Coordinates of all heavy atoms in Angstrom, one line a residue:
L296 N 0.8 -1.2 0.0 CA 0.0 0.0 0.0 C 0.9 1.3 0.0 O 0.6 2.2 -0.8 CB -0.9 0.0 1.2 CG -2.0 -1.0 1.3 CD1 -2.7 -1.0 2.7 CD2 -3.0 -0.9 0.2
I297 N 1.8 1.3 0.9 CA 2.7 2.5 1.0 C 3.5 2.7 -0.2 O 3.6 3.8 -0.7 CB 3.6 2.4 2.3 CG1 2.7 2.4 3.5 CG2 4.6 3.5 2.3 CD1 3.4 2.2 4.8
E298 N 4.0 1.6 -0.8 CA 4.8 1.7 -2.0 C 4.0 2.3 -3.2 O 4.4 3.2 -3.9 CB 5.4 0.4 -2.4 CG 6.3 0.4 -3.6 CD 6.8 -1.0 -4.0 OE1 7.1 -1.7 -3.0 OE2 7.0 -1.2 -5.2
S299 N 2.7 1.8 -3.3 CA 1.9 2.3 -4.4 C 1.5 3.8 -4.1 O 1.5 4.6 -5.0 CB 0.6 1.5 -4.4 OG 0.9 0.2 -4.8
F300 N 1.2 4.1 -2.9 CA 0.9 5.5 -2.5 C 2.0 6.4 -2.8 O 1.9 7.5 -3.4 CB 0.5 5.6 -1.0 CG 0.2 7.0 -0.6 CD1 -1.0 7.5 -0.8 CD2 1.1 7.7 0.1 CE1 -1.3 8.8 -0.4 CE2 0.8 9.0 0.5 CZ -0.4 9.5 0.3
N301 N 3.3 6.0 -2.5 CA 4.4 6.9 -2.7 C 4.7 7.1 -4.2 O 5.2 8.1 -4.6 CB 5.7 6.3 -2.1 CG 5.6 6.4 -0.6 OD1 5.0 7.3 0.0 ND2 6.4 5.6 0.1
K302 N 4.3 6.1 -5.0 CA 4.4 6.2 -6.5 C 3.3 6.9 -7.1 O 3.3 7.1 -8.3 CB 4.5 4.8 -7.1 CG 5.8 4.1 -6.8 CD 5.8 2.7 -7.4 CE 7.0 1.9 -7.1 NZ 7.0 0.6 -7.7
G303 N 2.3 7.3 -6.3 CA 1.1 8.0 -6.9 C 0.2 7.1 -7.6 O -0.6 7.6 -8.4
Q304 N 0.2 5.8 -7.3 CA -0.7 4.9 -8.0 C -1.9 4.6 -7.1 O -1.7 4.4 -5.9 CB 0.1 3.6 -8.2 CG 1.3 3.7 -9.1 CD 2.1 2.4 -9.2 OE1 2.0 1.6 -8.3 NE2 2.9 2.3 -10.2
A305 N -3.0 4.5 -7.7 CA -4.2 4.2 -6.9 C -4.2 2.7 -6.7 O -3.7 1.9 -7.5 CB -5.5 4.6 -7.7
T306 N -4.7 2.3 -5.5 CA -4.8 0.9 -5.2 C -6.2 0.5 -4.7 O -6.9 1.4 -4.2 CB -3.8 0.5 -4.1 OG1 -4.1 1.3 -2.9 CG2 -2.4 0.7 -4.5
D307 N -6.6 -0.7 -4.9 CA -7.8 -1.2 -4.4 C -7.5 -1.9 -3.1 O -7.1 -3.1 -3.1 CB -8.5 -2.1 -5.4 CG -9.8 -2.7 -5.0 OD1 -10.2 -2.5 -3.8 OD2 -10.5 -3.2 -5.8
N308 N -7.7 -1.2 -2.0 CA -7.4 -1.8 -0.7 C -8.1 -3.1 -0.4 O -7.6 -4.0 0.2 CB -7.6 -0.8 0.4 CG -6.7 0.3 0.3 OD1 -5.6 0.3 -0.3 ND2 -7.1 1.4 1.0
L309 N -9.4 -3.2 -0.9 CA -10.2 -4.4 -0.7 C -9.5 -5.6 -1.4 O -9.5 -6.7 -0.9 CB -11.6 -4.2 -1.1 CG -12.4 -3.3 -0.2 CD1 -13.8 -3.1 -0.8 CD2 -12.5 -3.8 1.2
D310 N -9.1 -5.3 -2.6 CA -8.4 -6.3 -3.4 C -7.1 -6.8 -2.7 O -6.8 -8.0 -2.7 CB -8.1 -5.8 -4.8 CG -7.6 -6.9 -5.7 OD1 -8.3 -8.0 -5.8 OD2 -6.5 -6.7 -6.3
I311 N -6.4 -5.9 -2.2 CA -5.2 -6.2 -1.5 C -5.4 -7.1 -0.3 O -4.8 -8.1 -0.1 CB -4.4 -4.9 -1.1 CG1 -3.9 -4.2 -2.3 CG2 -3.3 -5.2 -0.1 CD1 -3.4 -2.8 -2.0
V312 N -6.4 -6.7 0.6 CA -6.6 -7.6 1.8 C -7.3 -8.9 1.4 O -7.1 -9.9 2.1 CB -7.4 -6.8 2.9 CG1 -6.6 -5.6 3.4 CG2 -8.8 -6.4 2.4
R313 N -8.0 -8.9 0.4 CA -8.7 -10.1 -0.1 C -7.7 -11.2 -0.6 O -7.8 -12.4 -0.4 CB -9.7 -9.8 -1.2 CG -10.5 -11.0 -1.7 CD -11.5 -10.6 -2.8 NE -12.2 -9.4 -2.6 CZ -12.1 -8.2 -3.2 NH1 -11.2 -8.1 -4.2 NH2 -12.8 -7.2 -2.9
N314 N -6.6 -10.7 -1.2 CA -5.6 -11.6 -1.8 C -4.3 -11.7 -1.0 O -3.4 -12.3 -1.5 CB -5.3 -11.1 -3.3 CG -6.5 -11.2 -4.1 OD1 -7.1 -12.3 -4.3 ND2 -7.0 -10.1 -4.7
M315 N -4.3 -11.1 0.1 CA -3.1 -11.1 1.0 C -2.7 -12.6 1.4 O -3.6 -13.3 1.9 CB -3.3 -10.2 2.2 CG -2.0 -10.0 3.0 SD -2.2 -8.7 4.2 CE -2.0 -7.3 3.1
R316 N -1.5 -12.9 1.2 CA -1.0 -14.3 1.6 C -0.5 -14.2 3.0 O -0.5 -15.2 3.7 CB 0.0 -14.8 0.6 CG -0.6 -15.1 -0.7 CD 0.4 -15.7 -1.6 NE 1.4 -14.6 -1.9 CZ 2.2 -14.5 -2.9 NH1 2.2 -15.5 -3.7 NH2 3.0 -13.5 -3.1
H317 N 0.1 -13.1 3.4 CA 0.7 -13.0 4.7 C -0.4 -12.6 5.7 O -1.4 -12.0 5.4 CB 1.8 -11.9 4.7 CG 2.8 -12.1 3.7 ND1 3.8 -13.1 3.8 CD2 3.1 -11.4 2.6 CE1 4.6 -13.0 2.8 NE2 4.2 -12.0 2.0
P318 N -0.2 -13.1 7.0 CA -1.2 -12.8 8.0 C -1.4 -11.2 8.1 O -0.4 -10.5 8.1 CB -0.7 -13.4 9.3 CG 0.3 -14.4 8.8 CD 0.9 -13.9 7.5
L319 N -2.6 -10.8 8.3 CA -3.0 -9.4 8.5 C -3.6 -9.2 9.8 O -4.6 -9.9 10.1 CB -3.9 -8.9 7.4 CG -4.5 -7.6 7.5 CD1 -3.4 -6.5 7.4 CD2 -5.6 -7.3 6.5
A320 N -3.0 -8.4 10.7 CA -3.6 -8.1 12.0 C -4.3 -6.8 11.8 O -3.7 -5.7 11.6 CB -2.5 -8.0 13.0
M321 N -5.7 -6.8 11.9 CA -6.5 -5.6 11.9 C -6.8 -5.2 13.4 O -7.4 -6.0 14.1 CB -7.8 -5.8 11.2 CG -7.6 -5.8 9.7 SD -7.2 -4.2 9.0 CE -8.6 -3.3 9.4
V322 N -6.3 -4.0 13.8 CA -6.5 -3.6 15.2 C -7.1 -2.2 15.0 O -6.5 -1.3 14.5 CB -5.2 -3.5 16.0 CG1 -5.4 -3.1 17.4 CG2 -4.5 -4.9 15.9
V323 N -8.3 -2.0 15.6 CA -9.0 -0.7 15.5 C -9.5 -0.3 16.9 O -9.8 -1.1 17.7 CB -10.2 -0.8 14.5 CG1 -9.7 -1.0 13.1 CG2 -11.2 -1.8 14.9
G324 N -9.6 1.0 17.0 CA -10.1 1.6 18.3 C -11.7 1.6 18.2 O -12.2 2.0 17.2
E325 N -12.3 1.1 19.2 CA -13.8 1.1 19.2 C -14.4 2.4 19.1 O -15.5 2.6 18.5 CB -14.2 0.5 20.6 CG -15.7 0.2 20.7 CD -16.1 -0.4 22.0 OE1 -15.7 0.2 23.0 OE2 -16.7 -1.5 21.9
K326 N -13.7 3.5 19.5 CA -14.3 4.8 19.4 C -13.7 5.6 18.2 O -13.8 6.9 18.2 CB -14.0 5.6 20.7 CG -14.7 5.0 21.9 CD -14.6 5.8 23.1 CE -15.4 5.2 24.2 NZ -15.3 6.0 25.4
D327 N -13.1 4.9 17.3 CA -12.6 5.6 16.1 C -13.8 6.0 15.2 O -14.5 5.2 14.6 CB -11.7 4.6 15.3 CG -11.0 5.3 14.1 OD1 -11.4 6.4 13.7 OD2 -10.1 4.6 13.6
R328 N -13.9 7.3 15.1 CA -15.0 7.9 14.3 C -14.7 7.9 12.8 O -15.5 8.2 12.0 CB -15.4 9.3 14.8 CG -16.0 9.2 16.2 CD -16.4 10.6 16.7 NE -15.2 11.2 17.1 CZ -15.1 12.5 17.3 NH1 -16.1 13.3 17.1 NH2 -14.0 13.0 17.7
G329 N -13.4 7.6 12.4 CA -13.0 7.6 11.0 C -13.2 6.3 10.3 O -12.9 6.3 9.1
V330 N -13.6 5.3 11.0 CA -13.9 4.0 10.3 C -15.2 3.5 10.6 O -15.8 3.8 11.7 CB -12.8 2.9 10.6 CG1 -11.4 3.4 10.2 CG2 -12.8 2.6 12.1
N331 N -15.8 2.6 9.8 CA -17.0 2.0 10.0 C -16.7 0.6 10.6 O -16.3 -0.3 9.8 CB -17.8 1.9 8.7 CG -19.2 1.2 8.9 OD1 -19.4 0.4 9.8 ND2 -20.1 1.6 8.0
L332 N -16.8 0.5 11.9 CA -16.4 -0.8 12.6 C -17.2 -2.0 12.1 O -16.6 -3.0 11.9 CB -16.5 -0.6 14.1 CG -15.9 -1.7 14.9 CD1 -14.4 -1.9 14.6 CD2 -16.1 -1.3 16.4
D333 N -18.5 -1.8 11.9 CA -19.3 -2.9 11.4 C -18.9 -3.3 10.1 O -18.8 -4.5 9.8 CB -20.8 -2.4 11.4 CG -21.7 -3.6 10.9 OD1 -21.8 -4.6 11.6 OD2 -22.3 -3.4 9.8
Y334 N -18.5 -2.4 9.2 CA -18.0 -2.8 7.9 C -16.7 -3.6 8.0 O -16.6 -4.6 7.3 CB -17.8 -1.5 7.0 CG -17.3 -1.7 5.7 CD1 -18.1 -2.3 4.7 CD2 -16.0 -1.4 5.4 CE1 -17.5 -2.5 3.4 CE2 -15.4 -1.6 4.1 CZ -16.2 -2.2 3.1 OH -15.7 -2.4 1.9
L335 N -15.8 -3.1 8.8 CA -14.5 -3.8 8.9 C -14.6 -5.2 9.5 O -13.9 -6.1 9.1 CB -13.5 -3.0 9.7 CG -13.0 -1.7 9.1 CD1 -12.1 -0.9 10.1 CD2 -12.3 -1.9 7.8
T336 N -15.5 -5.3 10.4 CA -15.6 -6.6 11.1 C -16.6 -7.6 10.5 O -16.4 -8.8 10.6 CB -16.1 -6.4 12.6 OG1 -17.3 -5.7 12.6 CG2 -15.0 -5.6 13.4
N337 N -17.6 -7.1 9.7 CA -18.6 -8.0 9.2 C -18.7 -8.1 7.7 O -19.3 -9.0 7.2 CB -19.9 -7.7 9.8 CG -20.0 -7.8 11.3 OD1 -19.5 -8.8 11.8 ND2 -20.4 -6.8 12.0
Q338 N -18.1 -7.1 7.0 CA -18.4 -7.1 5.5 C -17.1 -7.2 4.7 O -17.3 -7.6 3.5 CB -19.1 -5.8 5.2 CG -20.5 -5.7 5.9 CD -21.2 -4.4 5.6 OE1 -21.0 -3.8 4.5 NE2 -21.9 -3.9 6.5
V339 N -16.0 -6.9 5.2 CA -14.8 -7.0 4.4 C -14.4 -8.5 4.3 O -14.4 -9.2 5.3 CB -13.6 -6.2 5.0 CG1 -12.3 -6.4 4.2 CG2 -14.0 -4.7 5.0
N340 N -14.0 -8.9 3.1 CA -13.6 -10.3 2.8 C -12.0 -10.3 2.9 O -11.4 -10.0 2.0 CB -14.0 -10.8 1.5 CG -13.6 -12.2 1.2 OD1 -13.2 -12.9 2.0 ND2 -13.6 -12.5 -0.1
Y341 N -11.5 -10.7 4.1 CA -10.1 -10.8 4.3 C -9.5 -12.1 3.8 O -10.1 -13.2 4.1 CB -9.7 -10.6 5.8 CG -10.2 -9.3 6.3 CD1 -11.4 -9.2 7.0 CD2 -9.3 -8.2 6.2 CE1 -11.8 -8.0 7.5 CE2 -9.7 -7.0 6.8 CZ -10.9 -6.9 7.4 OH -11.3 -5.7 8.0
G342 N -8.4 -12.1 3.1 CA -7.8 -13.3 2.6 C -7.0 -14.1 3.7 O -7.0 -15.3 3.7
N343 N -6.4 -13.4 4.6 CA -5.6 -14.1 5.6 C -5.6 -13.3 6.9 O -4.6 -12.8 7.4 CB -4.2 -14.3 5.1 CG -3.4 -15.3 6.0 OD1 -4.0 -15.9 6.9 ND2 -2.2 -15.5 5.7
L344 N -6.8 -13.1 7.4 CA -7.0 -12.3 8.7 C -6.5 -13.1 9.9 O -7.0 -14.2 10.1 CB -8.5 -11.9 8.8 CG -8.8 -10.9 10.0 CD1 -8.1 -9.6 9.8 CD2 -10.3 -10.7 10.1
W345 N -5.6 -12.5 10.6 CA -5.0 -13.2 11.8 C -6.1 -13.5 12.8 O -6.9 -12.6 13.2 CB -3.9 -12.3 12.4 CG -3.3 -12.8 13.6 CD1 -2.7 -14.0 13.8 CD2 -3.3 -12.2 14.9 NE1 -2.2 -14.1 15.1 CE2 -2.6 -13.0 15.8 CE3 -3.8 -10.9 15.3 CZ2 -2.4 -12.6 17.1 CZ3 -3.5 -10.6 16.6 CH2 -2.9 -11.4 17.5
K346 N -6.2 -14.7 13.2 CA -7.2 -15.3 14.1 C -8.6 -15.1 13.7 O -9.5 -15.2 14.4 CB -7.0 -14.7 15.5 CG -5.6 -15.0 16.2 CD -5.7 -14.8 17.6 CE -4.3 -15.3 18.2 NZ -4.4 -15.5 19.6
N347 N -8.7 -14.8 12.4 CA -10.1 -14.6 11.8 C -10.9 -13.6 12.5 O -12.2 -13.8 12.6 CB -10.8 -16.0 11.7 CG -10.1 -16.9 10.7 OD1 -9.8 -16.6 9.6 ND2 -9.9 -18.2 11.2
K348 N -10.3 -12.5 12.9 CA -11.1 -11.5 13.6 C -10.4 -10.2 13.5 O -9.2 -10.1 13.4 CB -11.4 -11.8 15.0 CG -10.3 -11.8 16.0 CD -10.7 -12.1 17.4 CE -10.3 -11.0 18.3 NZ -10.7 -11.2 19.7
V349 N -11.2 -9.1 13.5 CA -10.7 -7.7 13.7 C -10.6 -7.5 15.2 O -11.5 -7.7 15.9 CB -11.6 -6.7 13.0 CG1 -11.2 -5.3 13.3 CG2 -11.7 -7.0 11.5
H350 N -9.4 -7.1 15.6 CA -9.2 -6.9 17.0 C -9.6 -5.5 17.4 O -9.1 -4.5 16.8 CB -7.7 -7.1 17.4 CG -7.3 -8.5 17.1 ND1 -7.4 -9.5 18.1 CD2 -6.9 -9.1 16.0 CE1 -7.0 -10.7 17.6 NE2 -6.7 -10.5 16.3
T351 N -10.6 -5.3 18.3 CA -11.1 -4.0 18.6 C -10.6 -3.7 20.1 O -10.8 -4.5 21.0 CB -12.6 -4.1 18.6 OG1 -13.0 -4.5 17.3 CG2 -13.2 -2.7 18.9
I352 N -10.1 -2.5 20.2 CA -9.7 -2.1 21.5 C -10.7 -1.1 22.1 O -10.9 0.0 21.5 CB -8.3 -1.4 21.5 CG1 -7.2 -2.4 20.9 CG2 -7.9 -0.8 22.8 CD1 -5.8 -1.8 20.8
S353 N -11.3 -1.5 23.2 CA -12.3 -0.7 23.8 C -11.7 0.6 24.3 O -10.6 0.7 24.7 CB -12.9 -1.4 25.0 OG -13.5 -2.6 24.7
N354 N -12.5 1.7 24.2 CA -12.1 3.0 24.7 C -10.9 3.6 23.9 O -10.3 4.6 24.4 CB -11.8 3.0 26.2 CG -13.0 2.7 27.0 OD1 -14.1 3.2 26.7 ND2 -12.9 1.9 27.9
A355 N -10.5 3.0 22.8 CA -9.4 3.6 22.0 C -10.0 4.3 20.8 O -11.0 4.0 20.2 CB -8.5 2.4 21.5
N356 N -9.3 5.4 20.4 CA -9.7 6.2 19.3 C -9.0 5.7 18.0 O -8.5 4.6 17.9 CB -9.4 7.7 19.6 CG -10.2 8.2 20.7 OD1 -11.4 7.9 20.8 ND2 -9.5 8.8 21.7
H357 N -8.8 6.6 17.0 CA -8.2 6.3 15.7 C -6.8 5.7 15.9 O -6.4 4.7 15.3 CB -8.2 7.5 14.8 CG -7.6 7.2 13.5 ND1 -8.2 6.3 12.6 CD2 -6.4 7.6 12.9 CE1 -7.5 6.2 11.5 NE2 -6.4 7.0 11.7
A358 N -6.0 6.4 16.7 CA -4.6 5.9 17.0 C -4.6 5.1 18.2 O -4.2 5.5 19.3 CB -3.7 7.1 17.2
A359 N -5.1 3.8 18.0 CA -5.3 2.9 19.2 C -3.9 2.6 19.9 O -3.9 2.4 21.1 CB -5.9 1.6 18.7
F360 N -2.8 2.7 19.1 CA -1.5 2.5 19.7 C -1.2 3.6 20.7 O -0.3 3.4 21.6 CB -0.4 2.4 18.7 CG -0.4 3.6 17.7 CD1 0.4 4.6 18.0 CD2 -1.1 3.5 16.6 CE1 0.5 5.7 17.1 CE2 -1.1 4.6 15.7 CZ -0.3 5.7 15.9
W361 N -1.8 4.8 20.6 CA -1.7 5.9 21.6 C -2.8 5.8 22.7 O -2.5 6.0 23.8 CB -1.7 7.2 21.0 CG -0.4 7.8 20.4 CD1 0.8 7.5 20.9 CD2 -0.3 8.7 19.4 NE1 1.7 8.1 20.1 CE2 1.1 8.9 19.2 CE3 -1.2 9.4 18.6 CZ2 1.6 9.8 18.3 CZ3 -0.7 10.2 17.6 CH2 0.7 10.4 17.5
S362 N -4.0 5.6 22.2 CA -5.1 5.6 23.1 C -5.0 4.6 24.2 O -5.4 4.8 25.4 CB -6.5 5.4 22.4 OG -6.7 6.4 21.4
D363 N -4.6 3.4 23.8 CA -4.4 2.3 24.8 C -3.2 1.5 24.3 O -3.3 0.4 23.8 CB -5.7 1.4 24.8 CG -5.6 0.4 26.0 OD1 -4.5 0.2 26.6 OD2 -6.7 -0.1 26.3
S364 N -2.0 2.1 24.6 CA -0.8 1.5 24.1 C -0.5 0.1 24.8 O 0.0 -0.8 24.1 CB 0.4 2.4 24.4 OG 0.5 2.7 25.7
Q365 N -0.9 -0.1 26.0 CA -0.7 -1.4 26.6 C -1.5 -2.5 25.9 O -0.9 -3.6 25.6 CB -1.1 -1.4 28.1 CG -0.1 -0.6 28.9 CD -0.4 -0.7 30.4 OE1 -1.6 -0.7 30.8 NE2 0.6 -0.7 31.3
E366 N -2.8 -2.3 25.6 CA -3.6 -3.3 24.9 C -3.1 -3.5 23.5 O -3.0 -4.6 23.0 CB -5.0 -2.9 24.9 CG -6.0 -3.9 24.2 CD -6.0 -5.2 24.9 OE1 -5.7 -5.3 26.1 OE2 -6.4 -6.2 24.3
F367 N -2.8 -2.4 22.8 CA -2.2 -2.5 21.5 C -1.0 -3.3 21.4 O -0.8 -4.2 20.6 CB -2.0 -1.1 20.9 CG -1.5 -1.2 19.4 CD1 -2.4 -1.3 18.4 CD2 -0.1 -1.2 19.2 CE1 -1.9 -1.3 17.1 CE2 0.3 -1.3 17.9 CZ -0.6 -1.3 16.8
N368 N 0.0 -3.0 22.3 CA 1.2 -3.7 22.4 C 1.1 -5.2 22.7 O 1.8 -6.0 22.2 CB 2.2 -3.0 23.3 CG 2.7 -1.7 22.8 OD1 2.7 -1.5 21.6 ND2 3.2 -0.9 23.6
S369 N 0.1 -5.5 23.6 CA -0.2 -6.8 23.9 C -0.7 -7.6 22.7 O -0.2 -8.8 22.5 CB -1.3 -6.9 25.0 OG -1.7 -8.2 25.3
I370 N -1.5 -7.1 21.9 CA -2.0 -7.7 20.7 C -0.9 -7.9 19.7 O -0.7 -8.9 19.1 CB -3.2 -6.9 20.1 CG1 -4.4 -6.9 21.0 CG2 -3.5 -7.4 18.7 CD1 -5.5 -5.9 20.6
L371 N -0.1 -6.8 19.6 CA 1.1 -6.8 18.7 C 2.1 -7.9 19.0 O 2.6 -8.7 18.2 CB 1.8 -5.5 18.6 CG 3.0 -5.4 17.7 CD1 2.6 -5.6 16.2 CD2 3.6 -4.0 17.8
K372 N 2.4 -8.1 20.3 CA 3.3 -9.1 20.7 C 2.8 -10.5 20.4 O 3.6 -11.4 19.9 CB 3.6 -9.0 22.2 CG 4.5 -7.9 22.6 CD 4.7 -7.8 24.1 CE 5.5 -6.6 24.5 NZ 5.7 -6.5 26.0
V373 N 1.5 -10.8 20.6 CA 1.0 -12.1 20.3 C 1.0 -12.3 18.8 O 1.4 -13.4 18.3 CB -0.4 -12.2 20.9 CG1 -1.1 -13.6 20.4 CG2 -0.5 -12.1 22.4
F374 N 0.7 -11.3 18.0 CA 0.8 -11.4 16.6 C 2.2 -11.7 16.1 O 2.4 -12.7 15.3 CB 0.3 -10.1 15.9 CG 0.4 -10.0 14.4 CD1 -0.3 -10.9 13.6 CD2 1.3 -9.2 13.8 CE1 -0.2 -10.8 12.2 CE2 1.5 -9.1 12.5 CZ 0.7 -9.9 11.7
L375 N 3.1 -11.0 16.6 CA 4.5 -11.2 16.2 C 5.0 -12.6 16.6 O 5.7 -13.3 15.8 CB 5.4 -10.2 16.8 CG 5.3 -8.8 16.2 CD1 6.1 -7.8 17.0 CD2 5.6 -8.7 14.7
K376 N 4.6 -13.1 17.8 CA 5.0 -14.4 18.2 C 4.4 -15.5 17.3 O 5.0 -16.5 17.1 CB 4.7 -14.7 19.7 CG 5.5 -13.9 20.7 CD 6.9 -14.3 20.7 CE 7.1 -15.6 21.5 NZ 8.5 -16.0 21.6
D377 N 3.1 -15.3 16.9 CA 2.4 -16.2 16.0 C 3.1 -16.3 14.7 O 3.2 -17.4 14.1 CB 1.0 -15.8 15.8 CG 0.1 -16.2 17.0 OD1 0.6 -16.9 18.0 OD2 -1.1 -15.9 17.0
I378 N 3.5 -15.2 14.1 CA 4.1 -15.3 12.8 C 5.6 -15.5 12.8 O 6.2 -16.0 11.8 CB 3.7 -14.1 11.9 CG1 4.2 -12.8 12.5 CG2 2.2 -14.0 11.7 CD1 4.1 -11.6 11.6
Y379 N 6.3 -15.2 13.9 CA 7.7 -15.4 14.0 C 7.9 -16.1 15.4 O 8.4 -15.5 16.4 CB 8.5 -14.1 14.0 CG 8.3 -13.3 12.8 CD1 7.6 -12.1 12.8 CD2 8.9 -13.7 11.6 CE1 7.5 -11.4 11.6 CE2 8.8 -13.0 10.4 CZ 8.1 -11.8 10.4 OH 8.0 -11.1 9.3
P380 N 7.7 -17.4 15.4 CA 7.7 -18.2 16.7 C 9.1 -18.1 17.4 O 9.1 -18.1 18.7 CB 7.5 -19.6 16.3 CG 6.7 -19.5 15.0 CD 7.2 -18.3 14.3
S381 N 10.2 -17.9 16.7 CA 11.5 -17.8 17.3 C 11.8 -16.4 17.8 O 12.8 -16.2 18.5 CB 12.6 -18.3 16.4 OG 12.6 -17.4 15.3
L382 N 10.9 -15.5 17.6 CA 11.2 -14.1 18.0 C 11.1 -13.9 19.5 O 10.2 -14.5 20.1 CB 10.2 -13.2 17.4 CG 10.3 -11.7 17.6 CD1 11.6 -11.1 17.0 CD2 9.1 -10.9 17.1
T383 N 12.0 -13.2 20.1 CA 12.0 -12.9 21.5 C 11.4 -11.5 21.7 O 12.0 -10.6 21.2 CB 13.4 -13.0 22.2 OG1 13.9 -14.3 21.9 CG2 13.3 -12.8 23.6
V384 N 10.2 -11.4 22.3 CA 9.6 -10.1 22.4 C 9.6 -9.7 23.9 O 9.3 -10.4 24.7 CB 8.1 -10.1 21.9 CG1 7.6 -8.7 21.9 CG2 8.1 -10.7 20.5

């Protein structure tokens, strides 16, 4: 996504997440007014969604890593250990 954006190329984000082979961890803040949580959790067809769920952090806003850094980091650590079992976190 970032590479395409930097090149000024339009991308179809739904196509990207639908065809993604690598695990994708979706972590959103429950109070994020910039996203449609129902859409992300119930309507998007993810190709390789980690644990088959969108991880929602209660009381977190758009920048969930700031709003509730402890919960975000906890989710991130488990994700990293799942995809890189030999990683020491």
Side-chain angles (χ1 to χ4, degrees):
L296 293 173
I297 294 172
E298 182 179 328
S299 296
F300 179 78
N301 288 337
K302 290 180 180 178
Q304 298 172 341
T306 59
D307 181 347
N308 294 340
L309 291 175
D310 187 53
I311 291 170
V312 298
R313 184 181 313 112
N314 295 303
M315 188 169 282
R316 291 180 295 199
H317 304 290
L319 172 66
M321 284 292 295
V322 182
V323 296
E325 184 178 58
K326 294 186 177 183
D327 185 348
R328 292 181 283 163
V330 300
N331 182 333
L332 188 57
D333 179 63
Y334 177 75
L335 290 177
T336 57
N337 298 312
Q338 297 177 34
V339 174
N340 180 18
Y341 298 95
N343 195 6
L344 185 62
W345 177 59
K346 295 197 175 198
N347 294 313
K348 71 179 237 178
V349 173
H350 298 267
T351 305
I352 299 178
S353 302
N354 298 317
N356 298 314
H357 181 69
F360 55 91
W361 272 334
S362 300
D363 191 342
S364 60
Q365 286 184 325
E366 180 64 19
F367 181 87
N368 288 338
S369 175
I370 294 168
L371 180 60
K372 284 180 184 180
V373 174
F374 173 69
L375 291 174
K376 289 294 280 182
D377 280 358
I378 61 171
Y379 300 109
S381 63
L382 183 67
T383 304
V384 188

